[in-house]
């Protein structure tokens, strides 16, 4: 499976305080990684991610869609 960064994927708000919404694809799994590459959150079958409680910083978000394709985005979290 390849990871793609595509224009159909839209994640907002960025930076986020409470939740992040994913538009443009139907997510089956969303994995959130911190700057050290540690998995800090996994969400299944949802296009929203609750970021309350995550320390302020930049996170890598890996999204698997219903076709099994992986998408990558960066999200900043502000307290």
């Amino acid at each position: 499976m390849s990871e793609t960064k595509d224009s159909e994927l839209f994640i907002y708000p960025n930076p986020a305080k409470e939740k992040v919404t994913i538009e443009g694809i139907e997510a089956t799994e969303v994995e959130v990684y911190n700057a050290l590459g540690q998995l800090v959150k996994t969400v299944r079958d949802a296009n929203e991610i609750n970021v309350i409680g995550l320390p302020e910083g930049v996170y890598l978000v890996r999204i698997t869609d219903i076709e099994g394709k992986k998408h990558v985005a960066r999200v900043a979290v502000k307290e």
Side-chain angles (χ1 to χ4, degrees):
M1 289 183 222
S2 63
E3 291 183 353
T4 58
K5 202 170 181 182
D6 42 334
S7 57
E8 67 196 39
L9 178 62
F10 185 57
I11 296 182
Y12 65 91
N14 195 2
K17 286 187 178 186
E18 296 176 4
K19 70 177 180 178
V20 175
T21 302
I22 301 165
E23 281 191 0
I25 60 170
E26 190 173 337
T28 58
E29 183 176 73
V30 180
E31 297 173 320
V32 182
Y33 294 88
N34 65 15
L36 300 174
Q38 299 165 318
L39 179 64
V40 294
K41 185 175 276 276
T42 301
V43 179
R44 295 194 195 313
D45 299 318
N47 276 41
E48 284 188 354
I49 307 163
N50 181 342
V51 297
I52 294 173
L54 289 180
E56 192 168 295
V58 178
Y59 293 82
L60 181 73
V61 180
R62 282 182 74 188
I63 305 154
T64 305
D65 67 18
I66 56 173
E67 297 172 358
K69 290 196 322 194
K70 297 208 183 274
H71 307 264
V72 179
R74 281 187 167 52
V75 172
V77 173
K78 293 229 176 198
E79 294 180 355

